[in-house]
Amino acid sequence: MYIKKILWAIALLGLTIIGYFAYYIYNAMLTPNTRFNNEEAYIFIRTTDDYSAVRAQLEPLLKDLSTFDVLAKQKKYTNNIKAGKYRIKKGMNNNDIINSIRSGNIAVTVAFNNQNSLEKLAGRVAQQVETDSLALLTAMRDPAFLKAHDFTESTALGMYLPNSYQCYWNTSPENFRAKMLKAYQHFWNADRKAKAKAIHLKPHEVMALASIVYEESKQATEQPRIAGVYLNRLRIGMPLQADPTLKFAAYQLPKYQNTIIKRVLNVHKEIQSPYNTYLNKGLPPGLIAMPNLSAVKAVLNHEKHNYLYFAADPKRFGFHKFAKTLAQHNANASGYHRYLSLHGIKK
């Protein structure tokens, strides 16, 4: 009888231990363990992060880190950290959280539109992804990559079409570059290549001209007409004489660093630079800015006309007056110069 009681006691103790263990496992796996009030929260796990770094991000988001630790170790997450951006939804249990941050890497939106150099573009992108700007810039300037895809450092900016893109936060510089190349190749479909060929330009030359058009006017309705002016000049062998190229050339010189040129003067026309389209015929060697897509399409679908000149319209800010003759243009330009002088804009 005594032995029987002992056996019953051992059995009850075993059941108690099993019950407690089952409760602990249930609590560790299935009990909601978030403490934030929003519907969801996000953590960003860097490529170099270990479990302690992940744990530090989770600490303000979870009610009980100890149960999370137990399950993370049990599921071997502590030694298998995955970089990326991860979502944790309100009311998730530890099991759901671990599954999410182990395999639920979600894309981020990377957007850019007015970065007028590879350096500025790399800086802008680096604000939105894990990698730093120097690594991005190195990938963008990689000579082997540029040569393989018919780019130079002067034309490379044209590969990055201003838009919004979905990519992983922890994407590498090389993968980001590959994604941009794919978007560029998709944009330059057979139809657009045919339009470029019809105006005797290669895609990178279209991008260079579009950058000038964009710097001349941000008005999408006027860009096709401006593009038509420059294409008319190219056709007859006339220098482009594009003031934005003079500004670009000037900004490369120490004298004009950290300045804003509001008025193009004769001294600017004397700058020795391949980007000076007053001294050099044809297109400059590369882009002077990042054109928006409307300017690129304006070149490909330019307005056909006989205009050879245009000057800013002082009565319609952002628009221009167009002329077919130099005499008419000089009259239009004089009106704009009077406007600048009246407002004290001398340089």
Side-chain angles (χ1 to χ4, degrees), residues 192 194-201 206 209-210 213 220-235 293-307 322:
R192 292 194 175 103
K195 288 181 177 180
K197 186 176 181 180
I199 55 177
H200 308 291
L201 296 180
V206 171
L209 181 54
V213 171
T221 57
E222 192 181 63
Q223 288 171 349
R225 179 166 292 187
I226 291 176
V229 170
Y230 284 128
L231 287 167
N232 284 346
R233 291 179 180 179
L234 286 173
R235 189 181 66 254
L293 295 183
S294 69
V296 180
K297 293 174 182 177
V299 174
L300 295 175
N301 303 283
H302 63 282
E303 183 179 315
K304 293 178 175 59
H305 53 60
N306 294 319
Y307 295 122
F322 293 81

Side-chain angles (χ1 to χ4, degrees), residues 247-257 273 275:
K247 292 182 180 180
F248 179 86
Y251 291 145
Q252 312 310 307
L253 304 176
K255 177 181 178 180
Y256 295 98
Q257 292 294 313
S273 167
Y275 287 88

Side-chain angles (χ1 to χ4, degrees), residues 115-117 157 207 211 214-215 248 287-291:
Q115 286 63 54
N116 289 341
S117 68
L157 184 64
M207 299 301 296
S211 72
Y214 182 65
E215 287 300 285
F248 179 86
L287 286 75
I288 63 169
M290 177 181 284

Side-chain angles (χ1 to χ4, degrees), residues 101-126:
I101 64 177
R102 180 163 58 186
S103 59
N105 193 5
I106 59 178
V108 298
T109 300
V110 175
F112 54 85
N113 57 8
N114 290 318
Q115 286 63 54
N116 289 341
S117 68
L118 290 177
E119 291 87 349
K120 291 180 180 179
L121 175 61
R124 171 62 179 153
V125 174

